[in-house]
Amino acid sequence: LSGDVNTVLDRMVGAEPPLLCLQASDTDAPLALAGLPVGMLRRTRDGAELDETIELSAPLADPAASSVRLGVMMRLRPRDVTVAMAREEDPHVTFTVRLRLLSLTLLRAPGGEPVIYTGEGHRDGWCALRLREYAGCPAQTAPAVRWVAGHPSDLWGEELTLALPNPPFTPRAALERLRAQPITLELVCGPSRPSVETDPRLLAIASLCLEDVCGGALTPLPHGQGSPQGEAAAATVPVSRAVELLDAARETVGRVQMQLTLQCVYANGEATGGG
């Protein structure tokens, strides 16, 4: 938005308000909508802000549909364009996506048939989650774990990381790539732990969209005794997801519970402001 604060406020109030949309992860159809109440923005010393609770309603008039209440905090601040551009092209800033793996449940055996946990534990095998090569970054595989039919396998918080090097990925280029191109998580399996590592069989994949992760505010991380000198880091609040793994027929093979975080490292010792 260009112009001074008064001009921008007048323009926002006189236009159609931006819509907030509530939707489920498995559909594009909105469950509830509400216009962002820009008319309630209050002038402050350095801009404008609002802190209100709004009501989202079903898009179609349905007496049986329940509404949703949502707390919204919005701030409007002037920003120096030259400073913003310099930050977006800063060669000292790198971004890393961190996937913390919590648990994995297989709903179909590697042969394709549905699995039902009987409590006897006689149907099992070995599997691992692998982060596919992305933008020149090599693939990574988490340690293999034993799965039991229909029973969650603990992944012990193992982490897979995707670090986009700068150059060529300046802060702006890194965020644009992560928003535009999902990363791919693969489920590979085998009859034994060594076979998963040496001759893995691809069973299913999941595409991870990172729009909500990249849009999160970055909070500075504490600088401990073991932190590299001359570096500062910040990260988004972890986003928890239950991700479905799909086979070639687009059928659900399993689900993995994970947390995703976007971390920023600033080599000159000052973390950047927001994602």
Side-chain angles (χ1 to χ4, degrees):
L1 300 172
S2 59
D4 58 46
V5 172
N6 289 329
T7 301
V8 171
L9 278 174
D10 290 341
R11 191 181 306 153
M12 293 177 68
V13 172
E16 287 291 327
L19 286 178
L20 290 175
C21 174
L22 176 68
Q23 63 185 62
S25 60
D26 58 350
T27 178
D28 292 332
L31 301 177
L33 298 168
L36 194 63
V38 293
M40 300 176 70
L41 281 163
R42 298 181 297 274
R43 285 299 309 268
T44 61
R45 182 174 56 84
D46 58 347
E49 63 182 33
L50 69 81
D51 186 358
E52 301 288 344
T53 298
I54 64 174
E55 190 170 281
L56 289 81
S57 302
L60 299 178
D62 182 359
S66 59
S67 60
V68 178
R69 297 178 68 82
L70 177 70
V72 176
M73 179 179 290
M74 178 179 176
R75 291 177 179 171
L76 183 65
R77 297 286 186 271
R79 188 169 71 160
D80 189 320
V81 176
T82 58
V83 172
M85 291 179 63
R87 177 179 290 181
E88 290 173 349
E89 299 301 321
D90 195 323
H92 302 100
V93 177
T94 57
F95 280 103
T96 299
V97 178
R98 310 185 77 92
L99 283 73
R100 186 166 181 259
L101 307 173
L102 303 179
S103 66
L104 170 70
T105 304
L106 287 191
L107 306 179
R108 291 182 176 272
E113 69 275 12
V115 296
I116 300 175
Y117 182 54
T118 63
E120 300 171 0
H122 65 279
R123 302 184 60 192
D124 60 8
W126 289 87
C127 61
L129 290 165
R130 180 171 65 191
L131 191 61
R132 184 180 291 179
E133 181 273 339
Y134 183 93
C137 301
Q140 296 178 58
T141 304
V145 296
R146 183 182 291 276
W147 63 266
V148 178
H151 189 72
S153 299
D154 198 334
L155 301 181
W156 308 107
E158 288 286 345
E159 274 199 349
L160 297 175
T161 59
L162 174 67
L164 295 180
N166 184 6
F169 290 101
T170 62
R172 180 176 181 178
L175 292 175
E176 287 180 347
R177 172 61 73 92
L178 292 170
R179 283 188 167 110
Q181 180 182 339
I183 61 178
T184 300
L185 190 66
E186 300 177 331
L187 175 65
V188 295
C189 64
S192 65
R193 175 177 284 176
S195 69
V196 173
E197 298 171 352
T198 61
D199 187 26
R201 174 189 167 192
L202 179 62
L203 182 60
I205 65 172
S207 294
L208 304 179
C209 297
L210 301 175
E211 178 64 34
D212 55 343
V213 180
C214 292
L218 291 168
T219 302
L221 298 177
H223 196 278
Q225 190 172 12
S227 303
Q229 292 297 318
E231 287 190 358
T236 58
V237 175
V239 175
S240 297
R241 285 193 191 167
V243 178
E244 290 193 347
L245 295 151
L246 307 179
D247 62 14
R250 305 293 296 173
E251 293 186 353
T252 301
V253 171
R255 295 187 180 92
V256 56
Q257 189 74 34
M258 68 174 67
Q259 290 181 334
L260 295 108
T261 305
L262 181 68
Q263 181 173 315
C264 164
V265 173
Y266 193 82
N268 282 352
E270 180 184 347
T272 63

